[in-house]
Amino acid sequence: MKYPLILASMILAIVLFVFPLSAQAASSSSVTNSLLRKGEIGQDFSGQNLVGIEFTSEKLENTNFNNADLRGAVFNGVLLDGVNFHGVDFGQGIAYLSKFKDSDLSDAIFTDAMMLRSIFDQVNVTNADFTNAILDLVQVKTLCINASGVNSKTGIDTRQSLGCK
């Protein structure tokens, strides 16, 4: 009774070894949940619930996210020049390899956000909360130059949340 079970197991192992199951791979861009098509700029997402949305390799220049809920959202390789992030909740979001230039990040919440390898050039971070956010040290120093105020929702001082000295 034991031998037929052992024999069947060995045959199954040999078949799987000779004819392995194929694995399917997908790039992150093929599984994203993005709202935009490439090249669309200046969209208005103000006040919208965009929890967990993903933007990959998009040009979002002059897009309005004023007071939008972007908790857990992902911006991967996104151009965010002139973007309005005023009052946005980007808690636990990810902005990787993204560029914020001439953008309004005032009164926004970036708690627990991961924003590595992103660039912040001439942005307004007045009253923003970066508590436990992970940013490149060079970018933190850049943001600290003009950081000021206290976030209206969390009551956290911007300079303190960035760890400015």
Side-chain angles (χ1 to χ4, degrees):
M1 195 97 182
K2 270 182 158 179
Y3 297 112
L5 184 60
I6 292 173
L7 182 61
S9 298
M10 288 179 63
I11 291 173
L12 180 61
I14 291 171
V15 168
L16 290 176
F17 182 73
V18 174
F19 303 104
L21 299 174
S22 63
Q24 300 295 321
S27 70
S28 63
S29 63
S30 69
V31 295
T32 58
N33 179 20
S34 181
L35 288 177
L36 301 178
R37 298 286 181 234
K38 305 249 185 288
E40 292 187 37
I41 58 175
Q43 297 293 308
D44 185 4
F45 296 112
S46 58
Q48 291 188 27
N49 180 350
L50 302 173
V51 173
I53 195 72
E54 296 180 28
F55 297 98
T56 302
S57 302
E58 303 273 357
K59 291 183 180 180
L60 299 179
E61 297 157 300
N62 303 312
T63 298
N64 184 8
F65 288 101
N66 185 47
N67 291 308
D69 189 352
L70 286 165
R71 289 174 293 144
V74 176
F75 291 87
N76 185 8
V78 177
L79 182 62
L80 296 159
D81 291 358
V83 168
N84 182 0
F85 257 49
H86 176 82
V88 162
D89 187 346
F90 190 66
Q92 298 180 344
I94 297 172
Y96 181 71
L97 285 173
S98 295
K99 182 181 177 191
F100 295 84
K101 182 177 181 183
D102 298 321
S103 298
D104 182 4
L105 310 181
S106 64
D107 211 35
I109 299 172
F110 297 100
T111 55
D112 300 316
M114 183 164 304
M115 304 172 83
L116 292 171
R117 300 198 58 199
S118 289
I119 297 171
F120 300 90
D121 188 17
Q122 300 174 7
V123 297
N124 177 6
V125 292
T126 304
N127 302 329
D129 181 357
F130 288 90
T131 302
N132 297 325
I134 300 172
L135 294 98
D136 295 324
L137 185 58
V138 172
Q139 297 305 312
V140 171
K141 289 180 180 179
T142 300
L143 292 173
C144 283
I145 293 170
N146 296 314
S148 65
V150 174
N151 187 274
S152 66
K153 296 173 192 91
T154 65
I156 301 295
D157 179 87
T158 301
R159 293 185 62 77
Q160 183 179 359
S161 70
L162 281 167
C164 301
K165 295 180 181 182

